[in-house]
Amino acid sequence: MKTRGVPDFLLLFLTALLIGFGITMVISSSSIYAYAGQFTIYGCQYCGGDELYFVKKQIAWVALGSAAMLIAMNIPFSFYKRHFLLISLISLLLLVVVLIPGLDTEAKGARSWIKLGPASIQTSEFAKLGLIIYLAAIISKKGERFRQFKTGLIPPLIMTGLFFCLIALQPDLGTAAILLGTAGVMMICGGANLKHLFLLTVPPFSLFVFSYITLNPHAWPRIQSFLDPWSAPLDSGWQLAQSYYALARGGISGTGFGQGIQKYLYLPEAHTDFIFSVIGEELGFIGTTVFLLVYLSFLLRGLFISLKAKDTFASLTGIGVVTMIGLQALINMGGATGSIPITGVPLPFISYGGSSLMVCMIGTGILLSISREVNRQKALELLQAKRP
């Protein structure tokens, strides 16, 4: 008798909790900017007047993301394993398309978006999922041979390097760093030889960072503003200084939901890159701690599901999704608190932004699909144990 496993309801609940909290914080952080601001979004001019502008768009993305998550949840993870090559090639093609003049849409200085009617998608976000599925399939196919230098580790590294370079050319270094970190964790969990991995990744990455800092005229001022934002608080250090003001003003208990002042056009990107600062200001240390505990619970639950999977592909895919979301959250909050340089990546499930939200929800759908298989196997084992 064939049984269908149920999805992990705790992960589903934690996901809904994060998304609901994200919509709430987008309402608070974006209303002033949406009402008073004049800006261009993906080539479309907007002159303010509607304080719910961003909220309505975010809710629309949540609806689309929920549908995508449910679809991904009901697709057996073996489907991704069978079609991993097609998925990775489509992801690469999308990264190439945005580099072709005339086909891309530039935003925040990066050519990462493709306009599709009234909306735009950020191809680098979807590329992260494409690479995760590719690496999980390749590593699980190679098995013990993955520890070999030429036939094991080199092919996945070449594909990872290709993805990294295409995203870095946009340029979107924050997403490129998340992709590289996710790939590294997956390779280590897949049994890669650490000595080979170190020798093949650290020297070229160090050379890339050195070249970027040396050749990019905007790189060094950003590093200086990270090290000492107070040296230019009205210029390059403005974002980080305003983020510090928001977090400091929040104190222990916060100013109260909707009562923050930094979102009154003082703090740039308050509803996207710096939404964590608004959370800190309005909810304080206590509210931020509770939020982080929910976030941590989501990541640990996803990791628990991944490690329970008996299939190597499913386990590595789940680890990749959890690492991707966890690294992105870490980089976003690290930038807002001045722990690392600002990279401009959104806070998963919380920040305004359709592509990031969609990819996180699809990734969660894949985790739920894995949990269904884990629960199915558990149910079968219980049925067999009860047989005389």
Side-chain angles (χ1 to χ4, degrees):
M1 180 178 66
K2 189 174 181 179
T3 61
R4 294 189 68 194
V6 295
D8 189 273
F9 290 109
L10 178 56
L11 183 68
L12 200 57
F13 171 73
L14 291 170
T15 304
L17 205 61
L18 287 172
I19 292 171
F21 179 69
I23 292 174
T24 303
M25 292 312 303
V26 169
I27 292 173
S28 176
S29 60
S30 69
S31 58
I32 302 300
Y33 183 52
Y35 185 81
Q38 295 187 10
F39 43 87
T40 301
I41 300 181
Y42 310 124
C44 299
Q45 187 69 31
Y46 175 75
C47 297
D50 182 5
E51 61 184 13
L52 297 179
Y53 175 81
F54 293 106
V55 179
K56 288 186 279 190
K57 294 191 71 174
Q58 187 76 346
I59 291 174
W61 278 112
V62 167
L64 289 173
S66 299
M69 184 177 70
L70 289 174
I71 292 171
M73 182 182 74
N74 286 283
I75 295 176
F77 65 80
S78 56
F79 170 87
Y80 306 104
K81 189 175 183 179
R82 288 197 305 270
H83 301 287
F84 79 95
L85 194 56
L86 177 62
I87 293 170
S88 58
L89 288 176
I90 291 174
S91 301
L92 274 175
L93 180 62
L94 289 174
L95 291 178
V96 172
V97 166
V98 295
L99 297 177
I100 300 174
L103 297 180
D104 65 308
T105 301
E106 186 173 330
K108 298 182 183 180
R111 296 163 59 186
S112 306
W113 284 263
I114 297 177
K115 190 169 179 61
L116 298 174
S120 296
I121 63 168
Q122 189 175 0
T123 59
S124 57
E125 288 289 339
F126 291 90
K128 292 185 294 187
L129 271 183
L131 182 63
I132 287 171
I133 292 170
Y134 170 84
L135 289 176
I138 287 294
I139 294 171
S140 61
K141 277 189 172 186
K142 289 182 179 293
E144 288 297 321
R145 292 184 295 113
F146 181 60
R147 291 185 59 83
Q148 297 175 7
F149 184 74
K150 289 184 179 180
T151 58
L153 189 58
I154 292 294
L157 277 179
I158 291 175
M159 181 64 86
T160 301
L162 187 57
F163 271 81
F164 176 84
C165 290
L166 287 172
I167 295 175
L169 284 173
Q170 293 181 0
D172 186 356
L173 296 182
T175 302
I178 294 166
L179 181 139
L180 198 62
T182 302
V185 170
M186 290 182 68
M187 289 181 190
I188 291 171
C189 292
N193 186 301
L194 294 181
K195 180 181 177 181
H196 293 164
L197 189 62
F198 179 85
L199 292 174
L200 289 172
T201 57
V202 174
F205 181 71
S206 301
L207 180 62
F208 169 81
V209 172
F210 176 77
S211 302
Y212 176 77
I213 295 174
T214 305
L215 300 176
N216 190 329
H218 303 291
W220 186 244
R222 287 187 178 183
I223 294 175
Q224 286 181 311
S225 65
F226 156 67
L227 295 173
D228 184 14
W230 308 111
S231 63
L234 300 179
D235 189 18
S236 58
W238 175 265
Q239 278 185 308
L240 189 52
Q242 297 303 314
S243 180
Y244 283 160
Y245 284 137
L247 294 170
R249 191 167 182 269
I252 299 297
S253 57
T255 60
F257 175 74
Q259 301 302 309
I261 62 171
Q262 290 303 110
K263 63 192 179 186
Y264 282 77
L265 307 184
Y266 293 106
L267 178 64
E269 310 296 341
H271 58 303
T272 54
D273 303 347
F274 283 87
I275 198 168
F276 182 72
S277 305
V278 179
I279 294 172
E281 182 181 11
E282 298 190 350
L283 303 184
F285 176 78
I286 296 173
T288 303
T289 301
V290 173
F291 162 67
L292 290 176
L293 288 174
V294 174
Y295 228 128
L296 184 61
S297 300
F298 171 88
L299 296 174
L300 289 176
R301 191 62 185 176
L303 186 61
F304 174 80
I305 292 168
S306 305
L307 295 177
K308 281 286 184 180
K310 295 182 178 180
D311 185 272
T312 304
F313 170 80
S315 183
L316 286 174
T317 301
I319 289 171
V321 170
V322 171
T323 303
M324 173 190 74
I325 295 173
L327 275 179
Q328 184 167 326
L330 191 65
I331 289 175
N332 174 278
M333 291 185 284
T337 57
S339 305
I340 60 173
I342 298 168
T343 56
V345 298
L347 186 58
F349 297 114
I350 309 299
S351 294
Y352 167 80
S355 296
S356 175
L357 180 62
M358 180 74 74
V359 167
C360 288
M361 294 185 75
I362 292 173
T364 303
I366 295 174
L367 282 173
L368 291 168
S369 174
I370 295 170
S371 74
R372 294 187 69 176
E373 179 60 23
V374 169
N375 290 333
R376 188 184 75 85
Q377 291 289 342
K378 190 184 296 184
L380 287 174
E381 290 173 1
L382 288 173
L383 284 174
Q384 291 175 354
K386 289 180 181 179
R387 289 178 181 176

